[in-house]
Amino acid sequence: MTERDVILNELAQGLRPMSQGMAWFDALDPEGRSAALLFLRHHCVQARAVAEDGPESIRRAGLRPTHTPAVLITRGRIDDQLGKIASLTPRDERRKAFRLLVAVLAIADGRRRERTCASGCGHWWHRLTTAD
């Protein structure tokens, strides 16, 4: 468990406001932003994100359907598309990708919590409390 993992999971669970998440993301150096996006992608895959999560993720992230990350998530295999989204390089696209991947994680992990973790689990991130 790293600080990055805690922050990403707090964002996905609504325990930390997205404004704090964006400030944290913007403060990272380029390599740190790339690492954060790749870890988000990994967390989304581990949470079993599915293609049907795309439209709701776009809505939650506050993106227009024409934004590059939004277009990508609605086309092709979800695992491949998450990788493409995490690999976007323009600064503005990376910020949109961050918001979208947090939303995907929120949906996929929320579903996992309801289906497989409702009666208890060993996931440390399911025991987080509100961030200060």
Side-chain angles (χ1 to χ4, degrees):
M1 163 176 45
T2 67
E3 177 186 16
R4 176 190 54 223
D5 292 324
V6 171
I7 290 170
L8 297 177
N9 279 285
E10 287 173 344
L11 289 167
Q13 292 175 39
L15 301 173
R16 180 183 295 266
M18 184 52 78
S19 59
Q20 283 183 12
M22 291 308 302
W24 172 82
F25 184 74
D26 288 341
L28 296 172
D29 62 24
E31 293 79 23
R33 286 190 292 274
S34 291
L37 291 172
L38 290 173
F39 270 87
L40 266 171
R41 179 220 174 262
H42 174 75
H43 291 326
C44 291
V45 170
Q46 291 299 310
R48 308 263 193 280
V50 295
E52 292 77 18
D53 297 337
E56 177 62 13
S57 299
I58 294 166
R59 187 192 68 73
R60 287 190 192 187
L63 300 181
R64 290 193 308 257
T66 56
H67 285 146
T68 302
V71 170
L72 288 172
I73 199 151
T74 60
R75 307 234 167 108
R77 289 190 37 184
I78 188 77
D79 293 357
D80 295 338
Q81 298 311 95
L82 292 171
K84 290 176 185 177
I85 292 165
S87 299
L88 291 171
T89 55
R91 185 177 195 275
D92 191 48
E93 296 300 328
R94 291 172 86 75
R95 295 181 90 240
K96 293 172 194 168
F98 180 75
R99 291 188 352 237
L100 182 63
L101 292 175
V102 167
V104 171
L105 180 58
I107 292 167
D109 192 54
R111 183 175 48 250
R112 174 171 51 182
R113 289 177 84 152
E114 289 174 8
R115 291 183 181 170
T116 60
C117 298
S119 56
C121 68
H123 300 127
W124 63 263
W125 58 91
H126 290 165
R127 294 186 300 276
L128 294 172
T129 58
T130 304
D132 295 328

